Amino acid sequence: MQTASLSKRNNQWYLKYRKGNSPKTKEIAVGDEFNLDDAWDGKEVEISFTTAGVLETIKMAGMEIEKQEEEKPVLETRPVQKESANIPYGYRTASFVKKHNGIELYLDDAENYWVPAKYLSDISLVMGEEVFIKTSGSKFVESILSEGDEIIKPRENTRQRDWQGGQQRRGQQAGANNQHRDVAEAPYNFVPINDFIVAAKKFSDESIIPPFDRFVEGHHSGYIDLKIEAKTKVFIGSGSSETGNYKFFAPNGTPRIPGSSLRGMVRTLVEICSWAQFKFFEDKQLFYRTFENSSMGIDFYRKRMVGVNGQPKVRAGYLRKDGRSYKIIPALCDSSVCDTEFYRIEYSKARSIFPDLIPFKEETVFFQPEHVIDQSDRHSRRLDYALLSFVSSHFDSVDYPIEGKLIASGNMPGRHGKHLHWVINLPEKPSGCKEVNKDVIHTYQEDANRKITNFDLLSRLKNQSQVPCFYLEENGEITAIGHSPYFRLPYQNKIGDLLPHKHKEYTGIDIPTAIFGNESTDKEDSGFAGRVYFEDALFDPDSNNERATTHRGQATAISPKPTSFQLYLKQDSVNVEKDQLKHYDYKDENENHAELRGNKLYWHKKPDPHRNNTDKLQFNNTRIRFTNLNSVELGALLFVLDLPEGCCHKIGMGKPQGLGSIRITPTLYIDNHQKKYASFTAAMQYKSEPKEDISSFKETFENYIKEHPGIDNSRSSLWDHERMKQLKALLNYDTPPRNTGYMPFMVPTGELKPNGKPKEEFNTQFKERFILPKATEVK
């Protein structure tokens, strides 16, 4: 028994208690099977749980609270079957508890096993049916029989080791006819880039864009009223935040969805649905670093950074800024001893001299150089380097005659952090400096993942005359720089280089550009204004409780990681092995490069019905005003606003956590200019009538897209097109797939700890680089 506090909120009883010696408290909801009295609100009680973790008893002042026996908890184990002649040879009976991510098995000899859902061909088990399991001495489940059928999937590990539940992420899975790899999971997916681009409908023979100084015959002006229903909590961040927490966008204290957010959301959908040019992305070079046996590690990083003899190809030196240019003075190379410019020192020995050693900072040390030694016994691949046995903070002409700089690398998870740090020699004479190309400096500055100031060599030069660094010299030129020898390298290709040629070469005006406008370029008169205006959607203070108006803080979402090329680039299939994956510098024998997957959208996540979700924000109706749109353009807007049944839009921050799902109901109003502007009085009194049927505009848009020779126009609806099916799957709110979370860093091992919780290990989904399936294939 353990002590807990009992409380009631919104007609729901809760128990708050501490588990074991943990200082943290846990709160659970109490089911209706317990007959609780309102007078007990705030009282202390004693509670106990079953072996399966189900709340079993509640005692008030020593008396057990009555419980309705006919309403049993959902996760209640069935009685263990006694051995009989019906038990298959080698099997034992077991009770079980079903959970959303697998089942927990309980044997009569107090052994417990955990089997994740992905290793079960069927987890629709019925409480009370017979289940037999076969186990091995290695603490894993070999087989599970339910009504004579085996419901556990066979597993073959590439390392020829027995698999344990939770170590599923490791090898290849043997299918019925072929082997296939597991797939990656993510809270997002992609709508594929279109193979062709549909141009906007022309206004005249000479132009697509109508004039802005008059209303054009055959075009429409008016507005679209938007009724916005928040299906989940909505969060619109305001400004930037160094702490990672944002305030809700609320000018003058009134929370709202800004028109710019609605505009961006609508434009993205119009671009997808109208087969527009893919052009809104950050065109930059990404960085990579890996020694693993993927295509990137084998073919690119290892060949550029490590020589045939296992020694690093990089060199050490000191970066200086000379006016607007940057130069590197190479470090001294003592060829009489070990022919190297830098060495390694054990972490523990460095910390014994500098207890407060700060990552990414250097310290002056003295040492005696040693010969390069073979480090093959330390690494899975040969990496040789000069290893120093000792260093000192004081000069000694015999034992520590050479001065150098100790460079601390960033810490890694674990008790000891980094295993080894670096020591480099002092610089040569300044006359031997090497020029660093401006492109190398610019690319280094663009590395978005370098956020620690001490880690940024250029930032440190603001306070230092020179900074120790490492650099890669290829064909007589410095091509990359970094803080440690195995630094991140930039891809040669930029993101934009991976676009299909039709998108890179397109110079026309597509439908979203015609509607939303275009910025000026080097071409004369290329820029023009948009013909739509989005108003803010103000918070409705009467639609929710007071807590909604105080909902201001929201942690930032995890930033995109496009360097995960197995997720962001098109692969031949989800079964491609990681040494054959396409990356940003990939080219096949025909010089064809990899391609981007497309528009990234986040999955909807329905809120837990058992939790209190009344603090989500609700908004007043807002409006989109438009001028001189033709029927195709107006149909495009209505097509993406009036989504198919069961679909919702997604807006704001926190999308990966399930925030921002909204349902929009549009109402169209088109102005009659002859009536509206017949006189000054008529203009003042004029009111547009709502168009009850908007299907004709949507059909006009659909037919215009389907008339393009590149599209299969045999489909009855544009939503039936294969590419649009991916979009519809991502917009589906009513029945979203389950496997749409970020892949966890830790996964169950298949064994239980003494406290009954599953043991965990590092998830190898990341190491194995599992591929993200298509949106329609996510379960």
Side-chain angles (χ1 to χ4, degrees), residues 345-366:
I345 181 72
E346 289 280 354
Y347 173 88
S348 57
K349 295 173 182 177
R351 290 300 296 266
S352 66
I353 302 171
F354 301 101
D356 301 322
L357 188 61
I358 301 174
F360 309 113
K361 189 177 181 181
E362 70 272 4
E363 299 283 355
T364 300
V365 295
F366 299 89

Side-chain angles (χ1 to χ4, degrees), residues 156-259:
E156 182 181 27
N157 196 285
T158 56
R159 299 183 181 181
Q160 301 302 314
R161 291 168 51 186
D162 292 336
W163 68 272
Q164 294 178 339
Q167 291 179 340
Q168 330 80 329
R169 315 279 186 184
R170 204 158 272 205
Q172 293 180 339
Q173 184 174 359
N177 301 316
N178 62 332
Q179 292 184 344
H180 62 274
R181 300 217 300 159
D182 291 331
V183 296
E185 298 174 9
Y188 57 83
N189 212 291
F190 298 86
V191 179
I193 297 178
N194 36 297
D195 297 329
F196 55 88
I197 299 171
V198 177
K201 185 177 181 180
K202 285 191 174 185
F203 157 69
S204 64
D205 292 340
E206 297 80 18
S207 176
I208 286 178
I209 308 303
F212 288 86
D213 58 352
R214 61 185 181 274
F215 296 115
V216 179
E217 186 176 355
H219 286 57
H220 312 283
S221 300
Y223 57 90
I224 305 172
D225 268 350
L226 305 181
K227 177 185 176 183
I228 300 178
E229 177 189 2
K231 307 298 291 186
T232 65
K233 295 180 183 179
V234 176
F235 188 82
I236 308 295
S238 175
S240 60
S241 171
E242 296 180 357
T243 63
N245 290 313
Y246 290 75
K247 292 184 178 180
F248 201 101
F249 182 74
N252 300 321
T254 303
R256 66 185 68 192
I257 300 178

Side-chain angles (χ1 to χ4, degrees), residues 317-319 362 405 407 424 457 460 464 466-470:
Y318 292 80
L319 182 66
E362 70 272 4
K405 294 292 183 180
I407 301 176
I424 72 172
L457 299 172
R460 294 176 60 195
Q464 299 175 232
Q466 61 184 26
V467 178
C469 72
F470 295 85

Side-chain angles (χ1 to χ4, degrees), residues 49-285:
F49 296 89
T50 66
T51 307
V54 178
L55 181 63
E56 185 176 35
T57 60
I58 303 176
K59 289 186 178 181
M60 169 72 71
M63 299 294 293
E64 187 170 331
I65 295 173
E66 293 184 8
K67 185 178 178 182
Q68 302 176 31
E69 294 297 333
E70 66 275 12
E71 296 183 7
K72 297 181 179 180
V74 176
L75 298 179
E76 185 176 24
T77 60
R78 65 180 177 85
V80 177
Q81 300 284 334
K82 300 299 181 181
E83 294 208 11
S84 68
N86 294 327
I87 299 177
Y89 178 77
Y91 285 81
R92 290 185 288 171
T93 57
S95 59
F96 62 88
V97 171
K98 291 192 298 183
K99 298 184 177 180
H100 75 281
N101 55 349
I103 62 174
E104 209 164 299
L105 296 158
Y106 300 88
L107 278 72
D108 50 5
D109 56 1
E111 286 188 276
N112 297 335
Y113 294 86
W114 169 260
V115 180
K118 68 182 302 175
Y119 284 91
L120 299 167
S121 58
D122 182 13
I123 58 172
S124 59
L125 300 171
V126 179
M127 293 298 179
E129 68 176 329
E130 288 187 343
V131 174
F132 306 102
I133 71 171
K134 180 189 291 186
T135 61
S136 74
S138 302
K139 283 289 291 182
F140 67 90
V141 179
E142 290 182 338
S143 177
I144 302 177
L145 295 181
S146 174
E147 296 184 345
D149 296 325
E150 190 170 40
I151 63 171
I152 196 167
K153 300 176 183 178
R155 183 75 175 176
E156 182 181 27
N157 196 285
T158 56
R159 299 183 181 181
Q160 301 302 314
R161 291 168 51 186
D162 292 336
W163 68 272
Q164 294 178 339
Q167 291 179 340
Q168 330 80 329
R169 315 279 186 184
R170 204 158 272 205
Q172 293 180 339
Q173 184 174 359
N177 301 316
N178 62 332
Q179 292 184 344
H180 62 274
R181 300 217 300 159
D182 291 331
V183 296
E185 298 174 9
Y188 57 83
N189 212 291
F190 298 86
V191 179
I193 297 178
N194 36 297
D195 297 329
F196 55 88
I197 299 171
V198 177
K201 185 177 181 180
K202 285 191 174 185
F203 157 69
S204 64
D205 292 340
E206 297 80 18
S207 176
I208 286 178
I209 308 303
F212 288 86
D213 58 352
R214 61 185 181 274
F215 296 115
V216 179
E217 186 176 355
H219 286 57
H220 312 283
S221 300
Y223 57 90
I224 305 172
D225 268 350
L226 305 181
K227 177 185 176 183
I228 300 178
E229 177 189 2
K231 307 298 291 186
T232 65
K233 295 180 183 179
V234 176
F235 188 82
I236 308 295
S238 175
S240 60
S241 171
E242 296 180 357
T243 63
N245 290 313
Y246 290 75
K247 292 184 178 180
F248 201 101
F249 182 74
N252 300 321
T254 303
R256 66 185 68 192
I257 300 178
S260 57
S261 296
L262 291 167
R263 179 188 180 95
M265 177 193 73
V266 172
R267 175 161 188 159
T268 297
L269 292 178
V270 171
E271 289 171 0
I272 295 172
C273 297
S274 66
W275 269 252
Q277 183 184 17
F278 189 95
K279 58 182 179 181
F280 290 101
F281 58 91
E282 191 175 4
D283 191 15
K284 64 179 182 180
Q285 289 174 280

Side-chain angles (χ1 to χ4, degrees), residues 200-491:
K201 185 177 181 180
K202 285 191 174 185
F203 157 69
S204 64
D205 292 340
E206 297 80 18
S207 176
I208 286 178
I209 308 303
F212 288 86
D213 58 352
R214 61 185 181 274
F215 296 115
V216 179
E217 186 176 355
H219 286 57
H220 312 283
S221 300
Y223 57 90
I224 305 172
D225 268 350
L226 305 181
K227 177 185 176 183
I228 300 178
E229 177 189 2
K231 307 298 291 186
T232 65
K233 295 180 183 179
V234 176
F235 188 82
I236 308 295
S238 175
S240 60
S241 171
E242 296 180 357
T243 63
N245 290 313
Y246 290 75
K247 292 184 178 180
F248 201 101
F249 182 74
N252 300 321
T254 303
R256 66 185 68 192
I257 300 178
S260 57
S261 296
L262 291 167
R263 179 188 180 95
M265 177 193 73
V266 172
R267 175 161 188 159
T268 297
L269 292 178
V270 171
E271 289 171 0
I272 295 172
C273 297
S274 66
W275 269 252
Q277 183 184 17
F278 189 95
K279 58 182 179 181
F280 290 101
F281 58 91
E282 191 175 4
D283 191 15
K284 64 179 182 180
Q285 289 174 280
L286 299 175
F287 284 72
Y288 65 96
R289 173 179 58 198
T290 178
F291 280 100
E292 48 141 5
N293 59 342
S294 69
S295 57
M296 195 73 255
I298 295 173
D299 297 332
F300 283 79
Y301 191 83
R302 204 183 307 168
K303 288 182 179 179
R304 291 184 66 184
M305 301 296 281
V306 182
V308 177
N309 59 357
Q311 292 180 312
K313 289 184 178 180
V314 297
R315 300 184 60 187
Y318 292 80
L319 182 66
R320 286 187 173 185
K321 187 175 182 182
D322 185 7
R324 294 186 177 182
S325 62
Y326 292 85
K327 298 179 180 179
I328 289 180
I329 305 174
L332 290 167
C333 180
D334 191 349
S335 58
S336 62
V337 179
C338 54
D339 196 21
T340 186
E341 301 163 347
F342 54 90
Y343 320 83
R344 302 207 77 172
I345 181 72
E346 289 280 354
Y347 173 88
S348 57
K349 295 173 182 177
R351 290 300 296 266
S352 66
I353 302 171
F354 301 101
D356 301 322
L357 188 61
I358 301 174
F360 309 113
K361 189 177 181 181
E362 70 272 4
E363 299 283 355
T364 300
V365 295
F366 299 89
F367 58 93
Q368 178 66 52
E370 301 177 17
H371 289 282
V372 174
I373 59 176
D374 186 354
Q375 299 292 326
S376 299
D377 59 334
R378 287 176 173 266
H379 307 285
S380 58
R381 302 175 187 87
R382 184 171 179 178
L383 292 174
D384 296 349
Y385 41 77
L387 186 66
L388 298 180
S389 299
F390 302 98
V391 296
S392 174
S393 58
H394 303 286
F395 172 78
D396 186 304
S397 59
V398 178
D399 295 325
Y400 305 106
I402 308 297
E403 182 180 352
K405 294 292 183 180
L406 170 65
I407 301 176
S409 301
N411 288 332
M412 295 182 67
R415 192 160 53 108
H416 300 294
K418 274 289 181 70
H419 178 53
L420 295 167
H421 290 309
W422 302 93
V423 175
I424 72 172
N425 290 324
L426 293 180
E428 293 180 351
K429 295 180 180 180
S431 58
C433 64
K434 300 174 179 288
E435 191 82 20
V436 184
N437 191 288
K438 291 181 179 180
D439 292 338
V440 174
I441 297 297
H442 177 72
T443 301
Y444 180 86
Q445 290 174 320
E446 290 296 308
D447 186 1
N449 288 341
R450 191 184 297 108
K451 298 179 180 178
I452 304 175
T453 302
N454 286 337
F455 184 38
D456 190 333
L457 299 172
L458 305 183
S459 297
R460 294 176 60 195
L461 277 178
K462 296 177 181 178
N463 302 316
Q464 299 175 232
S465 60
Q466 61 184 26
V467 178
C469 72
F470 295 85
Y471 62 95
L472 181 63
E473 191 171 6
E474 298 171 303
N475 299 322
E477 292 188 359
I478 296 176
T479 56
I481 60 175
H483 178 79
S484 62
Y486 301 117
F487 50 76
R488 293 150 51 81
L489 286 174
Y491 287 100

